[in-house]
Amino acid sequence: MKKTLIAAVLSLATLGVAHAGPAYTAVGVQNDVSYNAVLNGGWSVVYRGDYGTGFNLGDVISGIAAGKNVMFAALQDGSATFKLLSYAAKEQVFSLTGHNQTHAANGAEWYYNGSSIGFAGLGDLISQDSADTGGDGFGANPENDRLSWHVNGDPNFVAGGWRAGNVTWLNSSTEWDRLILVQDAVAAPADVPEPASLGLLGLGLAGLAAARRRKVR
């Protein structure tokens, strides 16, 4: 009887336990990352749209809490793998910079001004014409660690294009998507009972104690 009750209590204790998947973390620009690994790793999409479609960036920014990590990413339609991505704190990603100027954050070079917004590899120089055409952007071998979206004079509104790593001239593309993701709150450690589970555990222990009292009598 005692063994049966103990087994039942242990079974109750496992109900409602939070089993967090491995968090997705990285430093610098990353290529060819699983879409599911990122979303299952604690990130949520707050914007997704075609490279050829503009959107109100100001609305996106205002909906992101201070201190959150913000990720920029690009994905080809039908693919389960991000072409490239990088992230940093909201205040770093959306920090205004001068023309052709960047600042380093979480292992990448970030920029945001009236020409374009995006990132490049750590230590890379950008060439805003008006998006970043650096790293042989107009040539035959574009670098694969640069993401750049046109702004066209208004930092609160992202216009079409322009590049997703070594894929350029995406100004009118409906085959490539731009994504902005935000890192969710850190999940509770695995195997720690949630409050509801603790209540059930208490009931189970009470039942065990009552059974033992009956046996003593």
Side-chain angles (χ1 to χ4, degrees):
M1 176 67 174
K2 182 177 178 181
K3 290 182 179 179
T4 301
L5 282 172
I6 290 175
V9 170
L10 292 175
S11 178
L12 287 170
T14 61
L15 292 175
V17 173
H19 291 280
Y24 178 78
T25 59
V27 176
V29 180
Q30 305 296 313
N31 294 104
D32 304 322
V33 178
S34 164
Y35 179 87
N36 286 334
V38 174
L39 267 66
N40 293 334
W43 292 83
S44 296
V45 176
V46 295
Y47 172 81
R48 180 172 181 171
D50 290 336
Y51 255 75
T53 302
F55 66 95
N56 192 318
L57 180 61
D59 287 347
V60 176
I61 295 174
S62 65
I64 300 173
K68 286 281 192 178
N69 282 331
V70 176
M71 177 185 293
F72 283 3
L75 182 75
Q76 189 172 20
D77 288 353
S79 175
T81 304
F82 285 113
K83 175 68 172 174
L84 79 166
L85 59 80
S86 192
Y87 71 86
K90 174 186 178 180
E91 292 74 14
Q92 297 288 343
V93 172
F94 300 116
S95 176
L96 291 172
T97 58
H99 188 72
N100 284 334
Q101 300 297 312
T102 66
H103 64 93
N106 192 36
E109 300 289 342
W110 293 86
Y111 58 93
Y112 175 35
N113 51 48
S115 294
S116 53
I117 184 171
F119 59 75
L122 189 64
D124 285 349
L125 299 178
I126 64 171
S127 179
Q128 289 183 290
D129 181 29
S130 56
D132 175 30
T133 62
D136 201 29
F138 284 147
N141 297 295
E143 292 179 356
N144 203 24
D145 61 354
R146 296 171 184 255
L147 177 147
S148 192
W149 303 338
H150 284 294
V151 171
N152 293 352
D154 183 357
N156 287 313
F157 188 84
V158 172
W162 181 71
R163 74 186 297 168
N166 58 9
V167 181
T168 58
W169 298 104
L170 296 175
N171 294 0
S172 301
S173 176
T174 59
E175 297 178 356
W176 283 83
D177 284 355
R178 303 183 284 201
L179 295 93
I180 300 177
L181 302 93
V182 173
Q183 193 171 37
D184 299 329
V186 177
D191 300 322
V192 176
E194 295 178 347
S197 301
L198 292 174
L200 292 172
L201 177 59
L203 292 174
L205 291 174
L208 176 60
R212 294 187 64 183
R213 284 196 298 271
R214 288 194 296 270
K215 184 175 181 181
V216 169
R217 291 175 185 171

